Amino acid sequence: MIGNDIIDLQVVRSESIVLQQRRLDKICTLAEQRYIRQAENPWQAFWLIWTRKEACYKAFQRNNYIHSICPHQIENQIDPAGILSETICFRGKQFFVQTAIDGSKIHSICTSTPERLKDIHVLDDLLELLYLFDFKKDTNGLPFLQTKNNHRLIPVSKSSHGAFTAYALFKTDIANLDSTTLVYA
């Protein structure tokens, strides 16, 4: 299971609606709402919470396809000191998430174990891999890479927003391919 989400902060800069109580009630748990209200930058804290939820939803969807996101059911774990942990829960399952924030974007990656979280590799484009793979989507719209000889499918999570695109995949999925699996174009 792998998921990622990216938010272009320039694009969402004008979206003040995200902090309206009605919207927060639909998207965030009470603990998440407290975290947002207590943050130095509540607007950025909202988008941090959102990217983590979206990345978790995408990871969950890999094995348990559901058609629509239920953001209120995805719960970021927040310790008593108000610090986000690396865990997030959805439908009784625990996931592990890591987020990077810079001045232009927020990017979260998510998977089912802490070991797999360390195994995620993120690319901003697939050009370096497209000589080995074709980018495809299954009947549910879930993205994957397929070796040119169709012997292997590798899960990939794609996220795009504004000026940014991120592809997340497991390093071991690529490293474990042998020359009989690959066909060079």
Side-chain angles (χ1 to χ4, degrees), residues 8-15 43 161-163:
D8 183 330
L9 292 174
Q10 233 9 36
V11 171
V12 296
R13 198 149 311 276
S14 63
E15 291 190 34
W43 174 82
H161 188 251

Side-chain angles (χ1 to χ4, degrees), residues 16-30:
S16 60
I17 190 174
V18 298
L19 297 178
Q20 291 178 355
Q21 190 61 48
R22 189 171 153 196
R23 179 121 183 226
L24 288 174
D25 288 341
K26 287 183 177 183
I27 294 171
C28 301
T29 66
L30 291 176

Side-chain angles (χ1 to χ4, degrees), residues 25-182:
D25 288 341
K26 287 183 177 183
I27 294 171
C28 301
T29 66
L30 291 176
E32 291 166 343
Q33 288 181 43
R34 254 188 320 279
Y35 174 82
I36 291 167
R37 280 193 218 98
Q38 294 171 357
E40 188 174 310
N41 183 339
W43 174 82
Q44 183 173 297
F46 170 83
W47 290 110
L48 169 67
I49 293 289
W50 177 260
T51 62
R52 291 166 56 99
K53 286 177 178 267
E54 181 73 16
C56 178
Y57 165 74
K58 288 178 179 179
F60 180 88
Q61 195 176 24
R62 282 268 164 210
N63 288 349
N64 311 279
Y65 184 76
I66 54 176
H67 184 63
S68 62
I69 188 170
C70 312
H72 197 270
Q73 295 176 4
I74 304 169
E75 185 175 359
N76 282 278
Q77 302 300 296
I78 303 169
D79 74 15
I83 298 171
L84 281 174
S85 77
E86 73 170 10
T87 58
I88 190 166
C89 296
F90 184 39
R91 296 193 174 181
K93 295 184 191 243
Q94 186 175 36
F95 294 86
F96 295 83
V97 64
Q98 184 177 352
T99 302
I101 304 172
D102 67 27
S104 58
K105 66 185 173 296
I106 299 175
H107 182 234
S108 293
I109 55 175
C110 184
T111 191
S112 56
T113 67
E115 296 78 30
R116 291 296 270 173
L117 190 60
K118 294 173 190 163
D119 187 36
I120 294 176
H121 181 63
V122 177
L123 301 165
D124 59 3
D125 68 54
L126 289 177
L127 288 179
E128 66 186 79
L129 295 177
L130 288 179
Y131 72 98
L132 299 172
F133 303 99
D134 292 317
F135 180 81
K136 298 192 174 193
K137 291 188 177 185
D138 67 13
T139 56
N140 291 323
L142 299 175
F144 62 91
L145 297 175
Q146 184 174 28
T147 56
K148 296 287 185 180
N149 63 7
N150 299 329
H151 288 148
R152 283 283 308 275
L153 302 179
I154 297 179
V156 62
S157 176
K158 179 185 178 192
S159 183
S160 295
H161 188 251
F164 302 103
T165 298
Y167 298 89
L169 60 147
F170 293 116
K171 294 178 234 176
T172 51
D173 283 346
I174 301 298
N176 291 336
L177 294 175
D178 59 33
S179 59
T180 61
T181 308
L182 299 174

